[in-house]
Amino acid sequence: MSIYNIEVQTISGETKSLSEYKGKVLLIVNTASACGLTPHYKGLQSLYEQYQDNGLVVLGFPCNQFGGQETGTNEEIQSFCELNYKVTFSLFDKIDVKGEHAHPLYTYLLSHTPEPYRTGEIEWNFVKFLVDANGIVVKQYSASTDPAVIAPDIEAILA
């Protein structure tokens, strides 16, 4: 199985295959609107703006599994992100990222992250996964990792 076999729902309800991102570098993040880390949206948007022309795509997956910090509807989430953080990167349907109902994307990411970057879990909101243009999971970053810290790794695989 490849990451490109996985389907996701956009925040507006359309089904999208991750195969549409073949050849792009992906930064995949579970997000929340009422978290102490919510300002990471700004850093993620900055990375997207800086590297999108070179092939970076940021994919945000809202999740309400950590402290009930994403209780809004998809419409409310999208509005919050646009108004407060000027988010233009792709947002998706609210999903579970852990447990028995974890979305297949997160099951895949967790099982395909290489050592020593594999933690085997999503510890909180804003865990980040970097996937290269061939669909290979390169690295998992903790929730507290500032998006700006990821820039050199993005540059290395965009080169």
Side-chain angles (χ1 to χ4, degrees), residues 1-4 18 21-28 108-109 111-115 117-118 129-141 153 157:
M1 179 166 162
S2 156
I3 196 167
Y4 298 130
L18 292 181
Y21 299 110
K22 279 184 181 176
K24 301 284 188 183
V25 170
L26 308 178
L27 186 59
I28 300 171
Y108 182 90
L109 291 168
S111 65
H112 286 81
T113 300
E115 296 294 345
Y117 308 111
R118 179 185 300 180
F129 290 89
L130 188 60
V131 179
D132 74 13
N134 297 311
I136 306 298
V137 182
V138 174
K139 202 169 184 181
Q140 177 181 348
Y141 303 88
D153 291 342
I157 61 174

Side-chain angles (χ1 to χ4, degrees), residues 60-78:
F61 289 87
C63 176
N64 193 39
Q65 289 186 287
F66 304 99
Q69 297 179 341
E70 187 58 272
T71 58
T73 64
N74 283 348
E75 295 78 20
E76 290 167 338
I77 294 165
Q78 185 166 23

Side-chain angles (χ1 to χ4, degrees), residues 26-134:
L26 308 178
L27 186 59
I28 300 171
V29 188
N30 62 304
T31 63
S33 299
C35 175
L37 298 173
T38 299
H40 280 217
Y41 271 126
K42 182 178 181 182
L44 294 167
Q45 179 64 27
S46 179
L47 287 174
Y48 178 61
E49 289 172 4
Q50 185 172 356
Y51 298 110
Q52 67 177 329
D53 291 343
N54 297 325
L56 176 69
V57 177
V58 177
L59 308 177
F61 289 87
C63 176
N64 193 39
Q65 289 186 287
F66 304 99
Q69 297 179 341
E70 187 58 272
T71 58
T73 64
N74 283 348
E75 295 78 20
E76 290 167 338
I77 294 165
Q78 185 166 23
S79 177
F80 172 85
C81 291
E82 289 172 357
L83 290 173
N84 294 287
Y85 295 99
K86 312 287 187 256
V87 166
T88 60
F89 60 80
S90 296
L91 294 170
F92 293 84
D93 188 36
K94 192 172 4 177
I95 60 169
D96 282 356
V97 298
K98 66 178 188 166
E100 69 177 280
H101 301 293
H103 191 282
L105 172 60
Y106 274 80
T107 304
Y108 182 90
L109 291 168
L110 285 170
S111 65
H112 286 81
T113 300
E115 296 294 345
Y117 308 111
R118 179 185 300 180
T119 67
E121 68 174 359
I122 306 294
E123 82 270 15
W124 199 250
N125 303 306
F126 292 93
V127 170
K128 302 149 194 81
F129 290 89
L130 188 60
V131 179
D132 74 13
N134 297 311

